[in-house]
Amino acid sequence: MPISTRLAVPFRPTLLALCCSLSLAAHAATPETPQDANTRQDGKALELGATTISADAATLSALPPAYAGGQVARGGQLGVLGNQDIMDVPFSMSSYTEKLIRDQQAENVGDVLLNDSSVRQASGYANQAQAFVIRGLPLNGDDISFNGLYGILPRQIMSTDALERVEVFKGPNAFINGVTPGGSGIGGGVNLQPKRADDVPLRRFSTDISSDGRVGEHLDIGQRFGEDNRFGARVNISQREGDTGIDDESQRSKLFAVGLDYRGDALRLSGDFVYSKQQINGGRNTVLIGQNLTHIPNAPSADTNYAPSWGTSSLEDTFGMLRAEYDLNDNWTAYIAGGAKHTNEIGRYSSVTLNDTLGNATVTGSRIAHQEDNTSLMAGLNGKFQTGAVSHKLNFGLTGIWAQTRNAYDFDLTGHASNIYNPVDVAGPAKGGFVGGDLNDPGITAKTFARSAAISDTLGFMDDRLLVTAGLRRQELVVQGFAYGTGTRTADYDKSITTPVYGLVFKPWDHVSFYANHIEGLAQGPTAPQTAGTKTLTNAGQAYAPARSKQTEAGVKVDMGTYGATLGVYRIEQPTDGYSQLSADGLSATYVRQGEQVNKGVELNVFGEPIAGLRLLGGATIIHTEVHGTQNGTNDGNRAIGVPTFQLNAGVDWDVPGLQGVTVNGRMLRTGGQYADAANNLSLPAWNRFDVGARYTFKVDQRDVTLGATVENVANTKYWESALGGYLTQGDPRVAKLSASIDF
């Protein structure tokens, strides 16, 4: 099926060169030099008087500043609560900066989240989608937000080239952002912040190359205009193409992003437009587990590709959003934002099923078309006032998501013999095997509408050393399903529910915050299927209320100015999908909504620059998980699938003394064992991964130049990365990357 070229952008190296030429000729205001800014006419250095920086003076959209070293920010966006300092909120979160992205040569969001000990990664079912596991529970790309809006980002892979921040919220977040459109994200959420133009003009060109010949170029231009630099524009153009570290796998990516903003005295506006396209040929995907497998064999060599060469994924996304904020007075701010997305995906996918411990496998193929047209809106009001000795921060918020999905498939159910250790390049999928819809014109298969209203108040006592937060969000989920090809309605779901939030922050000392919270998550409830095997269900088609997840968490945060640390304990209760129970006479079955997964964990995170020139970024997570209410109690007390026993990260970034501009860095990832089946008979062992890198920053003709080198998975370790979903994701092989950037 031909890919839509609507709003396509002609990416070529010549285009990048042209943009470079144009930017050099563009008019730009000349910033003050360091001498101009810091030296008086008499030659003596200027001395500034004492300055008080007030967090209350920041606007709703202003991003919190970074800790020393610039890798991690001091806070992030918390949905209806706006941008918050980490020490003032009763939640755990991390926010990774654009500087970290550049220093680590992180190409996509997954590369950034490797730094978080609460997060581990997997792949989507038989495709190239990046999936994440936060606190032992999945987060899909569909449910990542963009500047607070759900439903407008690419659902498989998201580039970092146009991102300023990658923010991670730990725990259920139905109150914070509203229900996710895909129903994942119970263990935590991710929000992406787009780049904005700074007061200092930016002209940066970067290029990179990997050890397997994948070459990339990236142009980043930022400029502010007008009186007081009120108007800003940020343009990012990038492309990468070539082979990956996996045998016979290649990727090509293109990105065009424009961010515009206006910052007035009371009114602030912003707009973002992004076009993204990914092409993956021969992509290695997940390995399904055969019914007769007695244990999980060792992973193949890290670069082995057991997917057939004919596999392709074409992913094209066009999305954008507008946002406005207006200060009604010194204490109240109103905001509104809206965005939309069009997605067009087409692929030839393979499914590899592992049959025995010798690596013998069965390969099947399919053709799948997927299209999405989503619209997302939010609006709200944030204010503060005083009642006697008690301060108040009041928040009102409204959200709405409209999503329409078109799908079609053509499965070839013929199984071809192969082996994950010695792969066979089997024949491509034949057409007309098992067909649903028209691949050339996919029909509507799902419509989703979600809306919510939220209100919260944060009360401050004892000069805001004690902060108490309470809030409610009322949510409505409407889901309609339609049959492939015919368009006949197969499901009609309309349920509402209210989720609360309670939080407490106590700051006995300036650098310490104790916190606790109770917050809930929400996902679409199950619908009883029509049949269970050959048995007709007595309650077929019954729609259940949204599944409510609950988290209780407590901990302590330390902020020493240049570095910080957090320690927390949590318990998350997540309902499982339920099961079909045969009747006593064995003639029928009834769908039973029962079962629960409980994850209990301890998290420690350390970040910042405790010693000048030495930056730390690490943490440790221990997770205990159990399932209850399983069918006939068979698996009660077992660990949930795909939840590691522990996760450990240790990262260091060090400016080498005596070598001006030279920095070396290293990172260790260690992940504990996890089970791949509900009976806990199939398990994955613990694994380690080590990354190293270095960079050299210097000036050429007063222009900043940075050279970088990174080696991921230095030992080329072969390991099964995750068993999320009951299938296997293998870790990436060793890849070396070189990069160079120049500010001109």
PDB file of all heavy atoms in Angstrom, residues 495-523:
ATOM      1  N   LYS A 495     -18.809   4.446  30.362  1.00  0.00           N
ATOM      2  CA  LYS A 495     -18.716   4.344  31.803  1.00  0.00           C
ATOM      3  C   LYS A 495     -18.034   5.579  32.379  1.00  0.00           C
ATOM      4  O   LYS A 495     -17.194   6.211  31.718  1.00  0.00           O
ATOM      5  CB  LYS A 495     -17.936   3.094  32.217  1.00  0.00           C
ATOM      6  CG  LYS A 495     -18.570   1.776  31.764  1.00  0.00           C
ATOM      7  CD  LYS A 495     -19.852   1.487  32.526  1.00  0.00           C
ATOM      8  CE  LYS A 495     -20.453   0.151  32.098  1.00  0.00           C
ATOM      9  NZ  LYS A 495     -21.696  -0.173  32.847  1.00  0.00           N
ATOM     10  N   SER A 496     -18.388   5.910  33.611  1.00  0.00           N
ATOM     11  CA  SER A 496     -17.791   7.047  34.309  1.00  0.00           C
ATOM     12  C   SER A 496     -17.331   6.611  35.687  1.00  0.00           C
ATOM     13  O   SER A 496     -17.870   5.657  36.267  1.00  0.00           O
ATOM     14  CB  SER A 496     -18.791   8.201  34.443  1.00  0.00           C
ATOM     15  OG  SER A 496     -19.228   8.653  33.180  1.00  0.00           O
ATOM     16  N   ILE A 497     -16.352   7.342  36.203  1.00  0.00           N
ATOM     17  CA  ILE A 497     -15.816   7.035  37.521  1.00  0.00           C
ATOM     18  C   ILE A 497     -15.106   8.272  38.062  1.00  0.00           C
ATOM     19  O   ILE A 497     -14.649   9.128  37.287  1.00  0.00           O
ATOM     20  CB  ILE A 497     -14.869   5.815  37.454  1.00  0.00           C
ATOM     21  CG1 ILE A 497     -14.667   5.194  38.839  1.00  0.00           C
ATOM     22  CG2 ILE A 497     -13.548   6.207  36.811  1.00  0.00           C
ATOM     23  CD1 ILE A 497     -13.978   3.837  38.772  1.00  0.00           C
ATOM     24  N   THR A 498     -14.990   8.373  39.389  1.00  0.00           N
ATOM     25  CA  THR A 498     -14.302   9.475  40.047  1.00  0.00           C
ATOM     26  C   THR A 498     -13.070   8.951  40.765  1.00  0.00           C
ATOM     27  O   THR A 498     -13.149   7.958  41.497  1.00  0.00           O
ATOM     28  CB  THR A 498     -15.225  10.188  41.041  1.00  0.00           C
ATOM     29  OG1 THR A 498     -16.366  10.702  40.352  1.00  0.00           O
ATOM     30  CG2 THR A 498     -14.499  11.348  41.718  1.00  0.00           C
ATOM     31  N   THR A 499     -11.931   9.589  40.537  1.00  0.00           N
ATOM     32  CA  THR A 499     -10.686   9.181  41.175  1.00  0.00           C
ATOM     33  C   THR A 499     -10.170  10.319  42.053  1.00  0.00           C
ATOM     34  O   THR A 499     -10.112  11.468  41.622  1.00  0.00           O
ATOM     35  CB  THR A 499      -9.611   8.818  40.140  1.00  0.00           C
ATOM     36  OG1 THR A 499      -9.436   9.912  39.231  1.00  0.00           O
ATOM     37  CG2 THR A 499     -10.034   7.591  39.354  1.00  0.00           C
ATOM     38  N   PRO A 500      -9.779  10.011  43.295  1.00  0.00           N
ATOM     39  CA  PRO A 500      -9.264  11.050  44.193  1.00  0.00           C
ATOM     40  C   PRO A 500      -7.739  11.077  44.228  1.00  0.00           C
ATOM     41  O   PRO A 500      -7.062  10.173  43.726  1.00  0.00           O
ATOM     42  CB  PRO A 500      -9.819  10.610  45.551  1.00  0.00           C
ATOM     43  CG  PRO A 500      -9.763   9.098  45.455  1.00  0.00           C
ATOM     44  CD  PRO A 500     -10.015   8.743  44.001  1.00  0.00           C
ATOM     45  N   VAL A 501      -7.201  12.100  44.864  1.00  0.00           N
ATOM     46  CA  VAL A 501      -5.790  12.185  45.170  1.00  0.00           C
ATOM     47  C   VAL A 501      -5.639  12.868  46.520  1.00  0.00           C
ATOM     48  O   VAL A 501      -6.363  13.809  46.840  1.00  0.00           O
ATOM     49  CB  VAL A 501      -5.008  12.962  44.085  1.00  0.00           C
ATOM     50  CG1 VAL A 501      -5.496  14.404  43.967  1.00  0.00           C
ATOM     51  CG2 VAL A 501      -3.519  12.939  44.374  1.00  0.00           C
ATOM     52  N   TYR A 502      -4.737  12.341  47.347  1.00  0.00           N
ATOM     53  CA  TYR A 502      -4.391  12.939  48.624  1.00  0.00           C
ATOM     54  C   TYR A 502      -2.879  12.971  48.718  1.00  0.00           C
ATOM     55  O   TYR A 502      -2.199  11.997  48.376  1.00  0.00           O
ATOM     56  CB  TYR A 502      -4.959  12.143  49.806  1.00  0.00           C
ATOM     57  CG  TYR A 502      -6.406  11.742  49.651  1.00  0.00           C
ATOM     58  CD1 TYR A 502      -6.747  10.447  49.296  1.00  0.00           C
ATOM     59  CD2 TYR A 502      -7.417  12.655  49.854  1.00  0.00           C
ATOM     60  CE1 TYR A 502      -8.068  10.068  49.150  1.00  0.00           C
ATOM     61  CE2 TYR A 502      -8.747  12.291  49.707  1.00  0.00           C
ATOM     62  CZ  TYR A 502      -9.058  10.991  49.360  1.00  0.00           C
ATOM     63  OH  TYR A 502     -10.367  10.620  49.205  1.00  0.00           O
ATOM     64  N   GLY A 503      -2.360  14.085  49.179  1.00  0.00           N
ATOM     65  CA  GLY A 503      -0.921  14.194  49.287  1.00  0.00           C
ATOM     66  C   GLY A 503      -0.495  15.053  50.460  1.00  0.00           C
ATOM     67  O   GLY A 503      -1.222  15.960  50.895  1.00  0.00           O
ATOM     68  N   LEU A 504       0.696  14.772  50.977  1.00  0.00           N
ATOM     69  CA  LEU A 504       1.237  15.494  52.121  1.00  0.00           C
ATOM     70  C   LEU A 504       2.719  15.722  51.909  1.00  0.00           C
ATOM     71  O   LEU A 504       3.457  14.792  51.532  1.00  0.00           O
ATOM     72  CB  LEU A 504       1.008  14.697  53.405  1.00  0.00           C
ATOM     73  CG  LEU A 504       1.565  15.282  54.706  1.00  0.00           C
ATOM     74  CD1 LEU A 504       0.761  16.513  55.108  1.00  0.00           C
ATOM     75  CD2 LEU A 504       1.526  14.245  55.823  1.00  0.00           C
ATOM     76  N   VAL A 505       3.163  16.961  52.128  1.00  0.00           N
ATOM     77  CA  VAL A 505       4.576  17.315  52.093  1.00  0.00           C
ATOM     78  C   VAL A 505       4.908  18.053  53.387  1.00  0.00           C
ATOM     79  O   VAL A 505       4.227  19.011  53.751  1.00  0.00           O
ATOM     80  CB  VAL A 505       4.921  18.207  50.882  1.00  0.00           C
ATOM     81  CG1 VAL A 505       6.379  18.674  50.963  1.00  0.00           C
ATOM     82  CG2 VAL A 505       4.684  17.469  49.577  1.00  0.00           C
ATOM     83  N   PHE A 506       5.960  17.610  54.076  1.00  0.00           N
ATOM     84  CA  PHE A 506       6.417  18.269  55.286  1.00  0.00           C
ATOM     85  C   PHE A 506       7.897  18.575  55.139  1.00  0.00           C
ATOM     86  O   PHE A 506       8.699  17.686  54.863  1.00  0.00           O
ATOM     87  CB  PHE A 506       6.181  17.395  56.516  1.00  0.00           C
ATOM     88  CG  PHE A 506       6.671  18.009  57.798  1.00  0.00           C
ATOM     89  CD1 PHE A 506       6.277  19.283  58.181  1.00  0.00           C
ATOM     90  CD2 PHE A 506       7.558  17.322  58.623  1.00  0.00           C
ATOM     91  CE1 PHE A 506       6.737  19.866  59.348  1.00  0.00           C
ATOM     92  CE2 PHE A 506       8.015  17.893  59.796  1.00  0.00           C
ATOM     93  CZ  PHE A 506       7.604  19.172  60.165  1.00  0.00           C
ATOM     94  N   LYS A 507       8.244  19.859  55.283  1.00  0.00           N
ATOM     95  CA  LYS A 507       9.616  20.317  55.116  1.00  0.00           C
ATOM     96  C   LYS A 507      10.153  20.827  56.449  1.00  0.00           C
ATOM     97  O   LYS A 507      10.122  22.020  56.732  1.00  0.00           O
ATOM     98  CB  LYS A 507       9.672  21.402  54.042  1.00  0.00           C
ATOM     99  CG  LYS A 507       9.248  20.906  52.667  1.00  0.00           C
ATOM    100  CD  LYS A 507       9.423  21.928  51.580  1.00  0.00           C
ATOM    101  CE  LYS A 507       8.314  22.927  51.586  1.00  0.00           C
ATOM    102  NZ  LYS A 507       8.344  23.849  50.397  1.00  0.00           N
ATOM    103  N   PRO A 508      10.682  19.912  57.307  1.00  0.00           N
ATOM    104  CA  PRO A 508      11.185  20.347  58.612  1.00  0.00           C
ATOM    105  C   PRO A 508      12.443  21.196  58.521  1.00  0.00           C
ATOM    106  O   PRO A 508      12.724  22.003  59.404  1.00  0.00           O
ATOM    107  CB  PRO A 508      11.442  19.022  59.333  1.00  0.00           C
ATOM    108  CG  PRO A 508      11.701  18.030  58.231  1.00  0.00           C
ATOM    109  CD  PRO A 508      10.824  18.469  57.101  1.00  0.00           C
ATOM    110  N   TRP A 509      13.220  20.967  57.452  1.00  0.00           N
ATOM    111  CA  TRP A 509      14.431  21.740  57.198  1.00  0.00           C
ATOM    112  C   TRP A 509      14.416  22.214  55.748  1.00  0.00           C
ATOM    113  O   TRP A 509      13.673  21.713  54.908  1.00  0.00           O
ATOM    114  CB  TRP A 509      15.680  20.899  57.486  1.00  0.00           C
ATOM    115  CG  TRP A 509      15.660  20.279  58.844  1.00  0.00           C
ATOM    116  CD1 TRP A 509      15.864  20.910  60.031  1.00  0.00           C
ATOM    117  CD2 TRP A 509      15.395  18.903  59.150  1.00  0.00           C
ATOM    118  NE1 TRP A 509      15.757  20.020  61.060  1.00  0.00           N
ATOM    119  CE2 TRP A 509      15.467  18.778  60.566  1.00  0.00           C
ATOM    120  CE3 TRP A 509      15.107  17.775  58.393  1.00  0.00           C
ATOM    121  CZ2 TRP A 509      15.246  17.567  61.203  1.00  0.00           C
ATOM    122  CZ3 TRP A 509      14.885  16.565  59.031  1.00  0.00           C
ATOM    123  CH2 TRP A 509      14.972  16.471  60.410  1.00  0.00           C
ATOM    124  N   ASP A 510      15.270  23.184  55.459  1.00  0.00           N
ATOM    125  CA  ASP A 510      15.261  23.784  54.132  1.00  0.00           C
ATOM    126  C   ASP A 510      15.578  22.792  53.021  1.00  0.00           C
ATOM    127  O   ASP A 510      15.111  22.942  51.891  1.00  0.00           O
ATOM    128  CB  ASP A 510      16.257  24.943  54.071  1.00  0.00           C
ATOM    129  CG  ASP A 510      15.824  26.129  54.905  1.00  0.00           C
ATOM    130  OD1 ASP A 510      14.609  26.226  55.214  1.00  0.00           O
ATOM    131  OD2 ASP A 510      16.682  26.959  55.261  1.00  0.00           O
ATOM    132  N   HIS A 511      16.360  21.785  53.333  1.00  0.00           N
ATOM    133  CA  HIS A 511      16.841  20.881  52.303  1.00  0.00           C
ATOM    134  C   HIS A 511      16.147  19.522  52.310  1.00  0.00           C
ATOM    135  O   HIS A 511      16.543  18.632  51.550  1.00  0.00           O
ATOM    136  CB  HIS A 511      18.359  20.677  52.435  1.00  0.00           C
ATOM    137  CG  HIS A 511      19.153  21.939  52.388  1.00  0.00           C
ATOM    138  ND1 HIS A 511      19.196  22.747  51.283  1.00  0.00           N
ATOM    139  CD2 HIS A 511      19.911  22.557  53.325  1.00  0.00           C
ATOM    140  CE1 HIS A 511      19.964  23.796  51.512  1.00  0.00           C
ATOM    141  NE2 HIS A 511      20.408  23.706  52.753  1.00  0.00           N
ATOM    142  N   VAL A 512      15.139  19.337  53.129  1.00  0.00           N
ATOM    143  CA  VAL A 512      14.519  18.021  53.281  1.00  0.00           C
ATOM    144  C   VAL A 512      13.005  18.133  53.174  1.00  0.00           C
ATOM    145  O   VAL A 512      12.395  19.017  53.770  1.00  0.00           O
ATOM    146  CB  VAL A 512      14.902  17.372  54.633  1.00  0.00           C
ATOM    147  CG1 VAL A 512      14.199  16.022  54.787  1.00  0.00           C
ATOM    148  CG2 VAL A 512      16.406  17.205  54.728  1.00  0.00           C
ATOM    149  N   SER A 513      12.407  17.218  52.402  1.00  0.00           N
ATOM    150  CA  SER A 513      10.954  17.115  52.303  1.00  0.00           C
ATOM    151  C   SER A 513      10.541  15.670  52.544  1.00  0.00           C
ATOM    152  O   SER A 513      11.046  14.754  51.883  1.00  0.00           O
ATOM    153  CB  SER A 513      10.456  17.536  50.921  1.00  0.00           C
ATOM    154  OG  SER A 513      10.507  18.922  50.721  1.00  0.00           O
ATOM    155  N   PHE A 514       9.645  15.457  53.487  1.00  0.00           N
ATOM    156  CA  PHE A 514       8.974  14.182  53.649  1.00  0.00           C
ATOM    157  C   PHE A 514       7.647  14.245  52.887  1.00  0.00           C
ATOM    158  O   PHE A 514       6.961  15.271  52.910  1.00  0.00           O
ATOM    159  CB  PHE A 514       8.726  13.867  55.124  1.00  0.00           C
ATOM    160  CG  PHE A 514       9.968  13.631  55.913  1.00  0.00           C
ATOM    161  CD1 PHE A 514      10.594  14.668  56.593  1.00  0.00           C
ATOM    162  CD2 PHE A 514      10.537  12.373  55.980  1.00  0.00           C
ATOM    163  CE1 PHE A 514      11.757  14.461  57.326  1.00  0.00           C
ATOM    164  CE2 PHE A 514      11.707  12.147  56.707  1.00  0.00           C
ATOM    165  CZ  PHE A 514      12.316  13.198  57.378  1.00  0.00           C
ATOM    166  N   TYR A 515       7.296  13.160  52.220  1.00  0.00           N
ATOM    167  CA  TYR A 515       6.069  13.201  51.427  1.00  0.00           C
ATOM    168  C   TYR A 515       5.311  11.892  51.534  1.00  0.00           C
ATOM    169  O   TYR A 515       5.877  10.837  51.863  1.00  0.00           O
ATOM    170  CB  TYR A 515       6.385  13.507  49.960  1.00  0.00           C
ATOM    171  CG  TYR A 515       6.993  12.339  49.200  1.00  0.00           C
ATOM    172  CD1 TYR A 515       6.203  11.506  48.417  1.00  0.00           C
ATOM    173  CD2 TYR A 515       8.364  12.076  49.265  1.00  0.00           C
ATOM    174  CE1 TYR A 515       6.754  10.437  47.723  1.00  0.00           C
ATOM    175  CE2 TYR A 515       8.919  11.009  48.580  1.00  0.00           C
ATOM    176  CZ  TYR A 515       8.114  10.187  47.810  1.00  0.00           C
ATOM    177  OH  TYR A 515       8.654   9.130  47.127  1.00  0.00           O
ATOM    178  N   ALA A 516       4.024  11.955  51.250  1.00  0.00           N
ATOM    179  CA  ALA A 516       3.170  10.772  51.189  1.00  0.00           C
ATOM    180  C   ALA A 516       2.026  11.077  50.239  1.00  0.00           C
ATOM    181  O   ALA A 516       1.607  12.229  50.090  1.00  0.00           O
ATOM    182  CB  ALA A 516       2.642  10.389  52.573  1.00  0.00           C
ATOM    183  N   ASN A 517       1.513  10.053  49.578  1.00  0.00           N
ATOM    184  CA  ASN A 517       0.390  10.257  48.675  1.00  0.00           C
ATOM    185  C   ASN A 517      -0.468   9.015  48.570  1.00  0.00           C
ATOM    186  O   ASN A 517      -0.003   7.893  48.811  1.00  0.00           O
ATOM    187  CB  ASN A 517       0.866  10.696  47.273  1.00  0.00           C
ATOM    188  CG  ASN A 517       1.594   9.593  46.508  1.00  0.00           C
ATOM    189  OD1 ASN A 517       1.015   8.551  46.176  1.00  0.00           O
ATOM    190  ND2 ASN A 517       2.867   9.821  46.202  1.00  0.00           N
ATOM    191  N   HIS A 518      -1.709   9.236  48.222  1.00  0.00           N
ATOM    192  CA  HIS A 518      -2.619   8.188  47.760  1.00  0.00           C
ATOM    193  C   HIS A 518      -3.217   8.704  46.469  1.00  0.00           C
ATOM    194  O   HIS A 518      -3.879   9.738  46.439  1.00  0.00           O
ATOM    195  CB  HIS A 518      -3.718   7.890  48.785  1.00  0.00           C
ATOM    196  CG  HIS A 518      -4.720   6.889  48.251  1.00  0.00           C
ATOM    197  ND1 HIS A 518      -4.551   5.535  48.369  1.00  0.00           N
ATOM    198  CD2 HIS A 518      -5.894   7.065  47.586  1.00  0.00           C
ATOM    199  CE1 HIS A 518      -5.573   4.915  47.789  1.00  0.00           C
ATOM    200  NE2 HIS A 518      -6.403   5.815  47.314  1.00  0.00           N
ATOM    201  N   ILE A 519      -2.957   7.983  45.388  1.00  0.00           N
ATOM    202  CA  ILE A 519      -3.416   8.411  44.078  1.00  0.00           C
ATOM    203  C   ILE A 519      -3.887   7.193  43.318  1.00  0.00           C
ATOM    204  O   ILE A 519      -3.435   6.074  43.578  1.00  0.00           O
ATOM    205  CB  ILE A 519      -2.291   9.162  43.316  1.00  0.00           C
ATOM    206  CG1 ILE A 519      -2.834   9.868  42.077  1.00  0.00           C
ATOM    207  CG2 ILE A 519      -1.130   8.246  42.998  1.00  0.00           C
ATOM    208  CD1 ILE A 519      -1.831  10.845  41.459  1.00  0.00           C
ATOM    209  N   GLU A 520      -4.801   7.403  42.372  1.00  0.00           N
ATOM    210  CA  GLU A 520      -5.396   6.282  41.665  1.00  0.00           C
ATOM    211  C   GLU A 520      -5.166   6.396  40.167  1.00  0.00           C
ATOM    212  O   GLU A 520      -4.987   7.491  39.622  1.00  0.00           O
ATOM    213  CB  GLU A 520      -6.893   6.194  41.977  1.00  0.00           C
ATOM    214  CG  GLU A 520      -7.177   5.944  43.454  1.00  0.00           C
ATOM    215  CD  GLU A 520      -8.631   5.676  43.756  1.00  0.00           C
ATOM    216  OE1 GLU A 520      -9.458   5.741  42.816  1.00  0.00           O
ATOM    217  OE2 GLU A 520      -8.945   5.395  44.926  1.00  0.00           O
ATOM    218  N   GLY A 521      -5.161   5.248  39.515  1.00  0.00           N
ATOM    219  CA  GLY A 521      -5.078   5.160  38.068  1.00  0.00           C
ATOM    220  C   GLY A 521      -6.379   4.624  37.515  1.00  0.00           C
ATOM    221  O   GLY A 521      -7.223   4.077  38.238  1.00  0.00           O
ATOM    222  N   LEU A 522      -6.532   4.755  36.207  1.00  0.00           N
ATOM    223  CA  LEU A 522      -7.794   4.385  35.582  1.00  0.00           C
ATOM    224  C   LEU A 522      -7.532   3.875  34.178  1.00  0.00           C
ATOM    225  O   LEU A 522      -6.742   4.448  33.428  1.00  0.00           O
ATOM    226  CB  LEU A 522      -8.735   5.589  35.538  1.00  0.00           C
ATOM    227  CG  LEU A 522     -10.214   5.322  35.319  1.00  0.00           C
ATOM    228  CD1 LEU A 522     -10.773   4.520  36.463  1.00  0.00           C
ATOM    229  CD2 LEU A 522     -10.968   6.648  35.185  1.00  0.00           C
ATOM    230  N   ALA A 523      -8.179   2.777  33.829  1.00  0.00           N
ATOM    231  CA  ALA A 523      -8.109   2.239  32.482  1.00  0.00           C
ATOM    232  C   ALA A 523      -9.466   1.679  32.101  1.00  0.00           C
ATOM    233  O   ALA A 523     -10.283   1.345  32.963  1.00  0.00           O
ATOM    234  CB  ALA A 523      -7.040   1.148  32.385  1.00  0.00           C
TER     235      ALA A 523
END
